[in-house]
Each structure stands twice: as structure tokens, then as C-alpha cells.
Amino acid sequence: MPNKGVQRKIGSHSDCGKPGPLRLVTDPEPAGDVGVPAANFVRSFSKWRDEALVKPVFVTNHGRITHAMVGIDQFVQMNTGQNAARAEADPFELAEWVDEAVIICDTDLTVESMNRVAAAACRNSSAQCVGRNLYDCLPQLRGTLLDVHLMRTVQANESTQADIPSPLREGSWLRLQSFPLYGRNVLMFRDITEEVERHRLADVKAALLQAMAVHSGIGYVHVSISGLIEMVDEPFCDLLGLPESRLHGARLVDLVTREKRLIFKSELEEAMAGGEARRIISRFISNRGETEDVVAAIVQLRGAYGAEGAVILFTPVRMDLSAEADD
């Protein structure tokens, strides 16, 4: 019986150089699911193509399986199964990994999904809300700005975004997004109370600086943690007779007279190291060759990552004395 493998005739030569008898050498065939060497696969492609219609053919390179050949019907079936599994997966599963509160409702505002952040913000578990109407499980949302933005999404299929007072916690603020997605309505929000407070304080600070500039008798200086001037106002520049460009980057203690310098430096460093706010009387050298006695109030300036220097307010002593005389 002839073998199924590819047969070839090989002639051997004897030691004396005469041709020897011809013999048949059969290429080995892989058994079962053993991989087919790449060279064998190329030589017998038509055979392995037919084999692939019955079962997968694995192609190896140096003994390691690198490819698989399957029939088109099996490939389509396998691909269809993957698509079906993908379709059955929750398309909003990513919401659990988002750091913002996410509530997903259908067109009737029945809650379909609520991530852990939203459950914590609403002080309600996801299991208690999913399957119920949004306003039944969170009645505090009715009549609020959140309700207004959500209705615009539901009725007009419109995306909205706004910073609103939080209906979930008194005195807090939310950054809200409401948008349609895959036939559903999505609410995303996060607490921005600290951010609002920072902006509010920044507005107050700007107003105070403007008021001090109008007053013209209160000097403002902001120094870095190394004691270098980072910001000054016009009254302080007028007090010393120097423009802001000359003062910016200078060491504040270098502007104090020699006899007062050590005390001022010590008070400034103690305040910047976390000590209490303090009020001292010091003496500064003006560009006019004169000295100016001032009352200085020193307060540590703290930022998000710790101490950032100090803020010093100055008023001339003569102004304080005149105010006392008027009283």
C-alpha cells in the first residue's frame, strides 16, 4: 500500500562512486492535533486546506504553534459568538470605574444603573434605586435645577452642563452633565464645593486688594517661603519710593533698617514656620534717603501643598498716630 505522504526518490552513492539502489522516503504526518511544521504546511497546502474543513490545523514554527487554519463556517460561527457575548455585556459597565457620580435612566426615567459614587452621594444603595423611577427613590430632586436640566435632556434630547447648588446636601455645589446616550438619559455630577469656595475666596481677596489700593494707606506684600517679594501693591511702592519692577524678587528684610532687621527677620520666619499671626513696628529705608516707621501685620500664607510664604500688611506709624489723635 503506498503511503499518503509525499514520496520522493533518493539516490545514494557507494564509496566507489557507483549509483546505489533507489528507495522511498515518506515525510512524517502529524497525528491528531499535533501542529504541522510551517515548511510541511506550505508544501502540502491543498491537503491541510481540506483538513481544516473538518478540524483546525495548527501551524508550528520551531515546535511552537503560531497560527491556526479553520474553515470559513467555523470562523463565522466563532465570530458571531464573540459579537453576541459583547452585545450581552453591560454597555455602561465602565461607569463603575468613573470617579464621578453616574445615574442612567431609560426614557421613562426608570433607573437602570447607578455607580458607587452616585450611591454614596445620594445616600442610597444601587439595589434600592435600580428598577424604580428616579423621583420615587430621590424625591429631593423635584423642582431643582437638576430637574430642569434633566427635563431638557428627556424632552428635547439635548445635552446640558451647569454648576448648580446641590439638592443632595445643603450648602454644597455640583457640576452637572445631562445627556442622551443609546436611547437612555445619563446624569453625571461631582461635588465642587471646595472649588467654588476657592473661587469665592479669590474674589474676596481681589476685592480687598482693590479696596486697599483705593485706600492708599495700606501696603500689601506677598513674600515666598525664601523671603523674596513676589507681589506688592502701589501704596507700598509709594511708601518706599520704588517701582514694582525694582521690588519684585528683592529680599524684604534687606529693605529694613539695620537696627530693626534682625527682629523683623525673626518675626517673619516664625510666622512662615506656622506661628501665630503677629503685629510689629519696624522701620524701612525709602529711596528718598529717609526712613519710614511702619506697623506690620504678618500672616503665614498656606496653599494646597503647605506653606507658601507670608502676607504682610503695612501702615505708616504716622497714620496710626493721627488716627489715635482724631479719636
Side-chain angles (χ1 to χ4, degrees), residues 6 30 32 77-78 93 96 150 173 191 194 221 262 300-301 323:
V6 178
Q77 182 180 0
M78 180 174 57
E93 197 172 306
E96 279 299 324
L150 179 57
W173 286 76
D191 191 287
E194 292 185 4
V221 179
L262 185 60
Q300 182 195 46
L301 177 63

Side-chain angles (χ1 to χ4, degrees), residues 48-320:
W48 301 119
R49 181 184 58 190
D50 294 338
E51 288 282 343
L53 296 176
V54 180
K55 63 180 180 179
V57 174
F58 301 99
V59 184
T60 66
N61 184 25
H62 299 295
R64 183 172 64 89
I65 295 176
T66 58
H67 297 79
M69 186 177 182
V70 298
I72 187 62
D73 293 338
Q74 188 175 358
F75 174 79
V76 171
Q77 182 180 0
M78 180 174 57
N79 200 38
T80 303
Q82 290 179 348
N83 291 338
R86 191 179 298 114
E88 290 175 1
D90 184 1
F92 302 105
E93 197 172 306
L94 180 63
E96 279 299 324
W97 300 91
V98 176
D99 290 334
E100 296 192 20
V102 180
I103 301 176
I104 302 167
C105 304
D106 64 10
T107 54
D108 297 323
L109 292 184
T110 299
V111 178
E112 291 189 356
S113 177
M114 174 185 286
N115 72 348
R116 52 184 176 78
V117 182
C122 298
R123 299 177 183 178
N124 220 335
S125 69
S126 176
Q128 292 174 316
C129 294
V130 172
R132 299 175 58 196
N133 184 272
L134 177 66
Y135 294 109
D136 289 342
C137 53
L138 296 173
Q140 62 268 39
L141 302 184
R142 288 189 182 277
T144 66
L145 286 175
L146 189 149
D147 183 17
V148 173
H149 285 275
L150 179 57
M151 286 301 102
R152 287 173 62 182
T153 300
V154 172
Q155 297 172 1
N157 207 38
E158 180 181 347
S159 299
T160 66
Q161 179 175 337
D163 296 343
I164 63 172
S166 173
L168 303 173
R169 185 162 60 94
E170 187 177 354
S172 61
W173 286 76
L174 296 179
R175 178 155 295 160
L176 170 72
Q177 286 182 281
S178 175
F179 53 91
L181 182 66
Y182 298 129
R184 297 171 174 87
N185 300 293
V186 180
L187 278 174
M188 289 183 62
F189 54 89
R190 64 183 176 90
D191 191 287
I192 59 167
T193 305
E194 292 185 4
E195 184 178 336
V196 170
E197 290 297 328
R198 282 197 300 270
H199 283 298
R200 185 174 295 166
L201 290 174
D203 292 340
V204 172
K205 174 186 173 183
L208 284 174
L209 291 177
Q210 186 177 1
M212 288 190 295
V214 173
H215 185 279
S216 76
I218 305 174
Y220 166 86
V221 179
H222 169 206
V223 297
S224 66
I225 197 68
S226 58
L228 302 180
I229 296 175
E230 292 193 346
M231 186 183 298
V232 294
D233 66 353
E234 188 175 346
F236 185 76
C237 295
D238 294 340
L239 180 69
L240 299 186
L242 290 168
E244 181 180 349
S245 58
R246 289 278 303 276
L247 292 172
H248 193 273
R251 287 178 58 84
L252 181 63
V253 295
D254 293 342
L255 305 176
V256 182
T257 58
R258 190 178 299 274
E259 69 274 9
K260 297 284 188 178
R261 187 172 301 168
L262 185 60
I263 297 175
F264 185 87
K265 180 181 179 182
S266 176
E267 295 287 347
L268 177 62
E269 288 178 348
E270 286 184 17
M272 288 196 296
E276 295 181 354
R278 58 209 58 216
R279 177 180 183 273
I280 63 171
I281 296 178
S282 191
R283 183 171 297 153
F284 278 70
I285 306 169
S286 78
N287 195 41
R288 296 180 291 271
E290 304 171 349
T291 59
E292 292 285 348
D293 290 335
V294 297
V295 177
I298 307 173
V299 181
Q300 182 195 46
L301 177 63
R302 293 193 63 83
Y305 303 103
E308 294 184 353
V311 170
I312 305 100
L313 296 182
F314 296 95
T315 56
V317 169
R318 62 176 183 273
M319 180 178 293
D320 287 0

Side-chain angles (χ1 to χ4, degrees), residues 37-52:
N40 195 350
F41 180 80
V42 173
R43 286 197 303 268
S44 307
F45 177 76
S46 59
K47 171 190 174 180
W48 301 119
R49 181 184 58 190
D50 294 338
E51 288 282 343

